[in-house]
C-alpha cells in the first residue's frame, strides 16, 4: 500500500500553540506515524505532502505512486491550486482512493467530487462525540467499538449538504444533542472515497487508536482494485463484443 | 384518502394507568383524532381497528377500502393471526401504503416485509429525543422543524437490525447519547412503507403536532399512486410489446 | 410551473438538414411545444433559451423565474461560459429542478453536479431503443408503457461513468444488445436532477408522446418543494433548538 | 472457505434428458466441480446438499460448517420444509453468505429475505443473454468481460419484483430486447446475499468459465467477515459504553 497524507499545514506553521501541542510534527506527521503500525509491510510506503511544497507536494511522480490519498484542510482551501485539484480529481476517477478528513468537507477536491457545498452545522466547545456504527458489516467499521468515544471534539451537525452516500457507515452524536453522518462512502469513476469527520486540530483525536483503526480500514477499502485507467467514451461497432 | 389506524390495544384494555392517562380513547383513538385535522376532505375516511375485533378488524372489506394502514403493536405481536398478516402483506405488495409505528418494528408484518429481526437497543428512562431531518427534500419532512423535540421518550438506539433503507429521512439522538434511524422508507412490490419510531404508550408523543404532521406527511407519501394489483410472473412471447 | 428549455441550438443554426427536418423550430422549440399540452394552467410558463443569446439566455431574471430547467447540448459544451454554469449550479443547489437530456450527459453543469466524466459507449446506426421501467412506483414512470419503443435512436451503452443514482427509473436496451441506465435521479443540495437519455438531433424522438410524458413527469418530480435557499454553514450555540 | 451447494435435484432425478445431458452429475455437481478450481486451498471445503436428503441435507452440523450457501431450486420450492427455511434464514441473519441462483428467485428463503414475490417476465426460447457490468468497481465483477455472452438462455425480464438492491452489479439484455437486473446484492442482518440469474437446467450455462468466475467472486464477497452471531434486542443502562 502506498499512502500519501496531505495536510495544508497552516495551523502548525503559523504557530497555533494548541495545535503544536497536540501535533508537534503536524497533523500529517501524527497520522503518518499512527498508520505506520498498520502498514508495516515491505511494500508499504507512507508519505506526507503539504500545501507549502511545490505543487503542494502532489507532483505527477507522487500521484503516480499513491494508491490512497488522505486530505486534511481547514483554513487554506482557497490556496490550493486548481491545477492540482484537477490532477487529483482525474486520478481519483481513474481509481486512486481518497480519504477526506474532518474540515476537508469544504475542500475543493471534495466539492468537485460531490457537486455539493458540503456545508454543515458546527460549534466548537469541546463536546464529547460518540461515533456509532450503522453498517455493522462494513469493512471500515471492523475492529472498532460502537460507539467510539471521542472525549472532546468540535461539533459537526446536520444538515450536512452532501449527496446521499453510497454507504452510511457511521453516525455521530454530540453532547449538545446534534447528530452527523460522520462516516460516508462514495464511488466516482473507478475511485473510492471515504469521508470521516472525527479529527480536529484543537483536540488530539488522531492519537486515538480507534480513530487510526478506522483510517487504516478506510485506506484498505479505498485502495484500487484494478489498474488505474481513465474513463472515456468509446465508439462501438455492432457486435464488437463477439470478436 | 382512506386511512385505517390499527392498534393492538392491549396496554389500554388491561388498564395500564399511565397509558390510559395519555390515551383515554386508546393510542388508535388519539392518532385518528390527530389525523382528522389533516384529512378533513369529503372523500377522507379515518377508521380504527384493533386486535380484539374479529379478524383483528382487518377484514377483506376493510382492507379493500384502505389506502394507507398504520400499525401500532408492542406486547401482542405473537397474538396477531398469521392469516391476517398474510393478507396485509399481499395488500402492501399490491400497492397499499403502510406506516409502522414505534414498537411495531417487531411486528410480524414488518419482519415479513424487511426479512430481518428489526432488533434494537433500548432503555426506558423518559429521555429527551431529538428527531433530526436528514433528507431535507423529502416530502415526509415537510413543514416540521429539525430537530423535533420530544421531551420524554423511550430510547431506541443502534444497532437497528433493518435492511439498508431506500431513504433515510430522520435520525434521532437521545439524552444518553445513542442515535437511531427513526424515519426510514422502503418499497415492497407496489407498496410504500414508512417506519417512524417516535411514539410510545407511556408518553404523550402522539399528541405533539409535529409528530402528527409527520404521520400525515407519511400517509400522503405512502398512498397508492396507481390501481392496486398483484405482482405476478408473466410468460411473454417474442415482440409482445409491439402489438 | 415555470419551465425553461435550454438548447445549444448549434445543429439547427449551422443548418444540419436532418435536424432541421426533424425540428424545424429547433429541439428547444419542439420540446416547448410538446410540453404545452402538459402545462396549460394559468400559472404555467414555458420559456426557451439558447447558447447564442446574451448570457446564453440564462440571466439572473430568467433563472429567478425558473422552477425547472431542461438542458440539451451536444457539440457546444465547451462554449458554455463558466459563469453561467456556476449560476445554474448555485441555483440547483438552492432547489431549482434540472432535467439533463441525451448528449447533455457531457455538459459542464451535469459534470459539475455528478463529479464524474459521464462518459459512455455509443454508436449511431439508428437502432431501436426499448426504454424499460425499473421503478414501477416512481412518479416519473407514471402513465407510460414499459417498454417505450423508440424506433430509431443513437445507441448509448454501459459503462456509463456516473455516480450510483439515487433512483434508477429506466434501463434501455438497443438492437445491438447494449444496455444503458437511461433514466436516473440525483439530489444535490435542495435541487432534484433527472437525467433522461432518449432524444437525439437526428431522430424525431421528442415528438413521441411517451417521451414528452416522461419529460412532463420529470418536471413535476423535479419542481422545488419549498422556497429556494442557499445551503450554508451555520454556527449553532448549545440548545439553539430550544428557543 | 466452506461452501455448500444446494440443489432441489428434481429435473435430474426425474430424468429430464436435456438436463441430464447438460449436467450428468446434477447442477449441484457441476457447480461444485466448477468451483473446485477456485477454492483449492487446504481449508477449502465444497459440499453439496439436495432436497431428497434428510433435512434436505442442511442439518445443523452442515450449516454450522458452511460459510456460504448456494441455492438452486425451480419446480420444488413448495417441497422445501419451512423448518429448514427458518434455520437457513436465521443463519443468514447471523452472518452466513447466500448465493441465490436463477429460478431460486422464487425460493422460500429468498422471498423471506426480500419480503417480495420476486416475480418476473420470462420466455424460454434459447435466446442469447448479454450480462453487462454496471458497477465496474464491484469485486463480484472482477475478472469477467462486460458483457459476458451466454449463447442460449431462458429470458428473465423486468418487471422483477424485488426490493431496490443495495448494489446493482449486472444488468442483462436478451435477443428479444428485454432487460433484467441479473446480479444484485442485499444485506440482511450480518448476512450478505447475492442473486445471480444466469444459469438454467436446459442450457450448459454453469460450464462457462465466466459464470463460474462470478460465482467464485460472489462467494468471496458473501463470506462472513466476523464471527456469526444472532441479532437481538439489548437493554442498555445509561452510559453503558463508558465502562
Amino acid at each position: 500500500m502506498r499512502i500519501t497524507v496531505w495536510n495544508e499545514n497552516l495551523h502548525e506553521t503559523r504557530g497555533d500553540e494548541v495545535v503544536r501541542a497536540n501535533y508537534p510534527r503536524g497533523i500529517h506527521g501524527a497520522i503518518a506515524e499512527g498508520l505506520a503500525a498498520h502498514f508495516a509491510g515491505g511494500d508499504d510506503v507512507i508519505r506526507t505532502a503539504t500545501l507549502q511544497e511545490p505543487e503542494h507536494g502532489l507532483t505527477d511522480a507522487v500521484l503516480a505512486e499513491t494508491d490512497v490519498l488522505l486530505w486534511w484542510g481547514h483554513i487554506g482551501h482557497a490556496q490550493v491550486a486548481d491545477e492540482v485539484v484537477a490532477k487529483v480529481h482525474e486520478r481519483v476517477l481513474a481509481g486512486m482512493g481518497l480519504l477526506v478528513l474532518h474540515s476537508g468537507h469544504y475542500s475543493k477536491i471534495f466539492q468537485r467530487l460531490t457537486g455539493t457545498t458540503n456545508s454543515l452545522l458546527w460549534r466548537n466547545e469541546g463536546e464529547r462525540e460518540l461515533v456509532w456504527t450503522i453498517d455493522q458489516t462494513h469493512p471500515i467499521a471492523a475492529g472498532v467499538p460502537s460507539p467510539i468515544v471521542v472525549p472532546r471534539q468540535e461539533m459537526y451537525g446536520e444538515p450536512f449538504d452532501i449527496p446521499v452516500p453510497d454507504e452510511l457507515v457511521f453516525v455521530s452524536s454530540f453532547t449538545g444533542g446534534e447528530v452527523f453522518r460522520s462516516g460516508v462512502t462514495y464511488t466516482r469513476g473507478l475511485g473510492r472515497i471515504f469521508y470521516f469527520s472525527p479529527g480536529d486540530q484543537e483536540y488530539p483525536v488522531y492519537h486515538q487508536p480507534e480513530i487510526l483503526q478506522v483510517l487504516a480500514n478506510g485506506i484498505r477499502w479505498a485502495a484500487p482494485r484494478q489498474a488505474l485507467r481513465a474513463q472515456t467514451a468509446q465508439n462501438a461497432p455492432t457486435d464488437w463484443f463477439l470478436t
Side-chain angles (χ1 to χ4, degrees), chain A:
Chain A
M1 190 77 67
R2 301 169 303 171
I3 302 163
T4 301
V5 183
W6 190 89
N7 180 16
E8 62 175 36
N9 194 31
L10 288 174
H11 292 288
E12 295 90 334
T13 53
R14 75 180 191 187
D16 291 359
E17 296 208 358
V18 173
V19 182
R20 294 183 68 171
N22 284 325
Y23 301 111
R25 282 172 299 281
I27 291 172
H28 51 296
I31 292 174
E33 289 166 20
L35 292 175
H38 292 272
F39 299 94
D43 294 339
D44 293 326
V45 178
I46 304 176
R47 283 189 181 82
T48 63
T50 60
L51 180 67
Q52 294 78 22
E53 299 172 47
E55 301 182 51
H56 311 325
L58 298 174
T59 61
D60 287 348
V62 167
L63 287 176
E65 293 181 358
T66 298
D67 294 317
V68 180
L69 177 65
L70 285 71
W71 194 277
W72 199 100
H74 182 214
I75 54 178
H77 296 314
Q79 300 178 41
V80 178
D82 289 338
E83 297 71 33
V84 173
V85 175
K87 278 201 300 188
V88 172
H89 186 191
E90 185 182 345
R91 188 134 182 106
V92 170
L93 295 184
M96 181 180 74
L98 179 69
L99 268 61
V100 178
L101 304 179
H102 191 57
S103 42
H105 68 93
Y106 261 151
S107 62
K108 287 181 181 177
I109 182 62
F110 195 45
Q111 288 182 327
R112 190 176 285 217
L113 287 161
T114 59
T116 48
T117 69
N118 309 324
S119 67
L120 45 71
L121 203 74
W122 64 278
R123 176 176 61 240
N124 190 359
E125 299 191 357
E127 294 168 66
R128 185 183 71 185
E129 176 175 2
L130 302 174
V131 186
W132 298 89
T133 295
I134 300 298
D135 187 342
Q136 297 187 74
T137 69
H138 204 288
I140 294 181
V144 296
S146 177
I148 300 170
V149 180
V150 180
R152 301 188 70 228
Q153 247 290 35
E154 183 178 24
M155 184 280 287
Y156 274 13
E158 300 284 339
F160 186 19
D161 179 35
I162 51 171
V164 175
D166 289 0
E167 298 166 313
L168 178 62
V169 184
F170 299 113
V171 167
S172 289
S173 69
F174 294 84
T175 308
E178 279 89 354
V179 300
F180 191 66
R181 286 169 290 174
S182 50
V184 296
T185 76
Y186 296 97
T187 297
R188 290 292 183 271
L190 298 183
R192 294 177 170 258
I193 302 148
F194 174 51
Y195 173 76
F196 186 58
S197 62
D200 188 89
Q201 72 280 1
E202 298 197 15
Y203 309 103
V205 180
Y206 291 119
H207 295 300
Q208 272 191 247
E210 307 97 313
I211 299 297
L212 290 164
Q213 181 68 57
V214 171
L215 296 184
N217 290 344
I219 289 165
R220 293 192 197 284
W221 172 84
R225 302 174 183 195
Q226 49 190 297
L228 272 65
R229 67 171 194 272
Q231 303 298 293
T232 55
Q234 304 280 348
N235 183 258
T238 304
D239 288 342
W240 60 272
F241 44 79
L242 297 183
T243 61

